Amino acid sequence: MAKSSSEVLARYEVEKKRAGSQPAGILLRAAAAKVQQWFRNLIVIAAFLALWEIAPRSGLVDITFFPPLSTVLKAWWHLLLSGDLAAHAEASLSRSLGGFLLALVISIPIGLAIGWWKPVAAYLNPLLEVMRNTAPLAILPVFILLLGLGETSKISIVFYACFFPLLLNTISGVKNVDPLLIKSAKSMGLSSIALFRKVIIPAAVPTIFIGIRQSGAASILVLVAAEMVGAKSGLGYLIQYTQFSFQIPEMYAGIISISVIGLILNYVILTIERKLTAWKQTYGD
Amino acid sequence: MTTEAKETLEANLAIAKISLQHVRKSFRIKRNLTHLKEDHQPVSALQDINLGVKPGEFMVIVGPSGCGKSTLLDLLAGLTKPNSGQILIDGKPITGPNLDRGIVFQQYALFPWKTALANVEFGLEAKGVPRKQRGEIARKYIHLVGLAGFEHRYPHELSGGMKQRIAIARSLAYDPEVLLMDEPFAALDAQTRETLQSELLRIWEATKKTIIFITHGIEEAVYLGQRVAVMTSRPGRIKEIIEVPFESRTTEEDLRSNPEFVRIRHQIWDLLKDEVSRAQEQEKSKSLTAPGKKTAGKGAGIDG
């Protein structure tokens, strides 16, 4: 009797918490909200693309420097068919992902270690802040000087750009684990290693992902600029080259490709993040 | 202390599940009150604590805020060590945290990335219980705290009261001999708190654990405790131990309005009120005095 009444009470507590979010009309309302959200997301993009098509055709902007969207897409299609686009995209992606993955493998473990040994973090933090706030592109000449114009310098600059956001976020993720969780785990007699593995790392994952997202964006940003300076392939090179040789629609095709790749990368990271941190409350939807 | 009292104390300590003998604890506390500089005065948190808790006893420790209750709990948990004196469990000194003591915190301390079930299993994993049995044991204790059906919810999907139920289940699951509870219901709303208090008594009767329950609520102390140890303001000492003579609290109709209950509540309040106002004075003078000056701990208590 006592047990069942306690269950009823517990259920009552949950009902109280979820009150208002259960009933029937909710599905319909959710669907309507979804449609509305899609509409909100797409309407401005659609308007922008329409403007891109209309403005050059109506003479609002110079059609030579700003060809209409349809012309750009046609150029993009030709680049795709000729295999040029794939070759350049492949070159870019291998550098970008190479540097990015290298940074993941190296800076997350280092960040975990630095965050764990607080004195080390205290000493290193000022230097790391300086490094992070030094624009990677400002150091690009140094990389080219030391590593030449080849793949090494490009992967290195991407690595450098990804390294610091990842490192700093990992450190702060480890440092800012709720002390109560640590105390609770310690009271259960966990060893330092078990504590680190079972409490610190899972608790730091959301913050680490902020770093992963930042460096994912940085990897593409920096790469394109690097490819514009000294390269014989890649999307950055394509954009630069087509501009020099006055293939304006192709130039825009390159730009569109870059932005699509950026979007896809961000989406992939977000999806992984949602999978790994499903226990968190909200995702702003 | 008379010799007679001393003898009974020693007799108590001899049969005690947990006994504290002349325990002292002080530390250099960092008070960083936004507008003041840090104050590094060594603060004596606990002074000569003597207490024996019998096996299976429900002992409540009540005291004004800042009297060192939580320091005492950390010592019992083995998370910190006393400066002098000793704490014995079954006659053996406490050397560190161990699964023979389970702790329930005010802020639940559930792992947010684990489901209710996985949270309860956590301590079992630490204990080295094989994976297969963990689930079974965890389910049993989730059922005991009245949350069957909520095994796969994450903490953020549970109300405060339910989180605390899960935290209690987690601590009970690895079968500690002593349950240490640090103001576990202080963050809950009044109705949930009363529900959980009677639930806790039911669980205590079902599991026969020794419970040390820390609170600042007098009514809570009298309702739950077989004995209530009243602490002084800082530095904390045990001022007096009050016996609460009710036999079976869970069956008694509306215990709180029982004249005996009211009498004991008054008695404890009388013991506490000077301590409370002294503790408040301490807080005030601490924020007013410049760093470096000794804070006067013995200001005359203003009757509240």
Side-chain angles (χ1 to χ4, degrees), chain B residues 224-249:
Chain B
L224 292 175
Q226 289 178 303
R227 287 193 298 155
V228 178
V230 181
M231 284 182 75
T232 65
S233 56
R234 194 160 45 214
R237 277 169 288 115
I238 304 283
K239 190 170 189 178
E240 201 165 324
I241 295 174
I242 310 285
E243 300 266 347
V244 184
F246 305 114
E247 266 316 308
S248 54
R249 290 166 171 73

Side-chain angles (χ1 to χ4, degrees), chain B residues 4-62:
Chain B
E4 198 185 324
K6 206 163 214 165
E7 268 161 29
T8 46
L9 175 73
E10 264 151 30
N12 272 342
L13 295 180
I15 56 153
K17 179 81 197 167
I18 281 202
S19 77
L20 295 101
Q21 299 169 356
H22 307 292
V23 170
R24 279 166 203 280
K25 178 79 186 170
S26 63
F27 39 163
R28 291 183 174 276
I29 197 163
K30 247 194 253 176
R31 297 181 59 82
N32 206 345
L33 304 161
T34 50
H35 59 291
L36 292 176
K37 287 209 176 128
E38 284 182 0
D39 184 1
H40 283 276
Q41 288 303 320
V43 173
S44 173
L46 298 173
Q47 207 176 57
D48 201 24
I49 299 275
N50 288 294
L51 187 66
V53 182
K54 286 173 251 168
E57 186 177 28
F58 201 130
M59 166 67 89
V60 177
I61 297 172
V62 64

Side-chain angles (χ1 to χ4, degrees), chain B residues 132-176:
Chain B
K132 270 188 186 164
Q133 292 167 31
R134 276 183 227 155
E136 202 179 305
I137 298 171
R139 270 170 223 278
K140 191 180 102 187
Y141 281 96
I142 290 175
H143 186 79
L144 176 74
V145 298
L147 280 186
F150 293 95
E151 287 87 351
H152 300 294
R153 296 280 174 84
Y154 284 97
H156 76 84
E157 297 171 306
L158 301 171
S159 69
M162 301 173 89
K163 281 184 219 172
Q164 198 55 290
R165 285 167 193 261
I166 294 296
I168 292 170
R170 179 175 66 180
S171 293
L172 288 172
Y174 53 82
D175 202 21

Side-chain angles (χ1 to χ4, degrees), chain A residues 4-273:
Chain A
S4 65
S5 77
S6 75
E7 270 162 42
V8 169
L9 274 164
R11 272 174 208 285
Y12 168 71
E13 281 172 40
V14 138
E15 276 344 302
K16 229 173 24 176
K17 190 173 155 65
R18 319 197 122 211
S21 65
Q22 281 291 341
I26 196 76
L27 274 178
L28 203 68
R29 225 178 307 150
K34 200 107 205 166
V35 169
Q36 207 180 0
Q37 193 197 339
W38 271 99
F39 179 75
R40 225 180 314 146
N41 287 347
L42 289 180
I43 186 71
V44 179
I45 297 263
F48 172 74
L49 296 179
L51 186 70
W52 189 346
E53 183 65 33
I54 294 161
R57 288 194 187 283
S58 64
L60 217 61
V61 293
D62 191 335
I63 198 158
T64 331
F65 299 130
F66 213 126
L69 180 63
S70 54
T71 315
V72 172
L73 289 179
K74 223 176 283 166
W76 187 84
W77 185 245
H78 281 301
L79 279 173
L80 187 69
L81 288 184
S82 70
D84 281 359
L85 192 66
H88 287 302
E90 196 198 320
S92 286
L93 275 177
S94 65
R95 291 165 189 156
S96 204
L97 289 179
F100 176 60
L101 294 176
L102 203 61
L104 278 184
V105 173
I106 295 176
S107 72
I108 291 180
I110 295 179
L112 290 174
I114 295 177
W116 185 233
W117 285 295
K118 289 201 168 111
V120 181
Y123 276 104
L124 280 181
N125 211 35
L127 177 66
L128 295 177
E129 278 298 326
V130 170
M131 296 291 234
R132 180 173 62 167
N133 288 301
T134 308
L137 288 177
I139 309 184
L140 181 59
V142 180
F143 278 83
I144 292 175
L145 212 56
L146 294 177
L147 301 169
L149 280 169
E151 295 301 295
T152 324
S153 70
K154 292 193 181 52
I155 292 176
S156 305
I157 191 78
V158 171
F159 169 76
Y160 180 87
C162 296
F163 186 78
F164 289 101
L166 261 174
L167 186 72
L168 287 161
N169 279 294
T170 307
I171 293 172
S172 89
V174 172
K175 275 206 306 201
N176 295 328
V177 177
D178 184 355
L180 184 63
L181 294 183
I182 297 175
K183 191 170 166 180
S184 165
K186 272 190 185 159
S187 78
M188 289 186 243
L190 254 68
S191 66
S192 288
I193 295 167
L195 181 71
F196 194 71
R197 210 162 55 82
K198 290 181 182 159
V199 179
I200 309 278
I201 292 181
V205 163
T207 322
I208 293 175
F209 258 99
I210 295 175
I212 293 180
R213 275 225 304 274
Q214 284 175 2
S215 56
S219 73
I220 288 181
L221 201 80
V222 169
L223 177 76
V224 171
E227 284 176 341
M228 285 179 171
V229 175
K232 288 279 162 285
S233 63
L235 291 169
Y237 166 75
L238 175 72
I239 294 167
Q240 186 84 338
Y241 167 81
T242 49
Q243 191 230 333
F244 285 156
S245 54
F246 219 71
Q247 298 169 284
I248 302 302
E250 283 76 10
M251 181 191 83
Y252 283 104
I255 295 172
I256 289 181
S257 308
I258 284 288
S259 93
V260 168
I261 288 176
L263 277 173
I264 291 173
L265 183 66
N266 191 48
Y267 178 79
V268 168
I269 293 175
L270 259 176
T271 309
I272 298 173
E273 182 177 354

Side-chain angles (χ1 to χ4, degrees), chain B residues 89-266:
Chain B
I89 177 161
D90 291 324
K92 288 186 281 285
I94 286 175
T95 51
N98 194 298
L99 290 167
D100 59 4
R101 282 151 282 143
I103 309 186
V104 178
F105 297 96
Q106 182 185 332
Q107 297 298 339
Y108 329 121
L110 295 177
F111 302 112
W113 59 88
K114 286 180 178 288
T115 59
L117 187 69
N119 261 291
V120 178
E121 285 178 1
F122 189 86
L124 295 167
E125 204 182 327
K127 198 182 180 183
V129 176
R131 187 181 293 272
K132 270 188 186 164
Q133 292 167 31
R134 276 183 227 155
E136 202 179 305
I137 298 171
R139 270 170 223 278
K140 191 180 102 187
Y141 281 96
I142 290 175
H143 186 79
L144 176 74
V145 298
L147 280 186
F150 293 95
E151 287 87 351
H152 300 294
R153 296 280 174 84
Y154 284 97
H156 76 84
E157 297 171 306
L158 301 171
S159 69
M162 301 173 89
K163 281 184 219 172
Q164 198 55 290
R165 285 167 193 261
I166 294 296
I168 292 170
R170 179 175 66 180
S171 293
L172 288 172
Y174 53 82
D175 202 21
E177 291 159 36
V178 180
L179 199 56
L180 306 169
M181 307 184 86
D182 188 4
E183 307 201 19
F185 306 147
L188 303 174
D189 65 78
Q191 287 149 22
T192 310
R193 187 182 311 139
E194 284 195 16
T195 314
L196 278 181
Q197 284 166 354
S198 58
E199 286 275 304
L200 179 62
L201 286 178
R202 178 181 64 75
I203 290 166
W204 171 59
E205 279 168 7
T207 58
K208 306 197 165 49
K209 300 282 176 208
T210 309
I211 298 184
I212 299 181
F213 187 104
I214 285 173
T215 179
H216 58 252
I218 298 172
E219 189 164 298
E220 183 168 72
V222 182
Y223 179 70
L224 292 175
Q226 289 178 303
R227 287 193 298 155
V228 178
V230 181
M231 284 182 75
T232 65
S233 56
R234 194 160 45 214
R237 277 169 288 115
I238 304 283
K239 190 170 189 178
E240 201 165 324
I241 295 174
I242 310 285
E243 300 266 347
V244 184
F246 305 114
E247 266 316 308
S248 54
R249 290 166 171 73
T250 39
T251 52
E252 185 116 8
E253 286 290 315
D254 200 10
L255 188 73
R256 290 177 174 88
S257 54
N258 180 319
E260 182 67 2
F261 184 96
V262 176
R263 190 189 64 74
I264 297 173
R265 201 181 64 195
H266 263 284

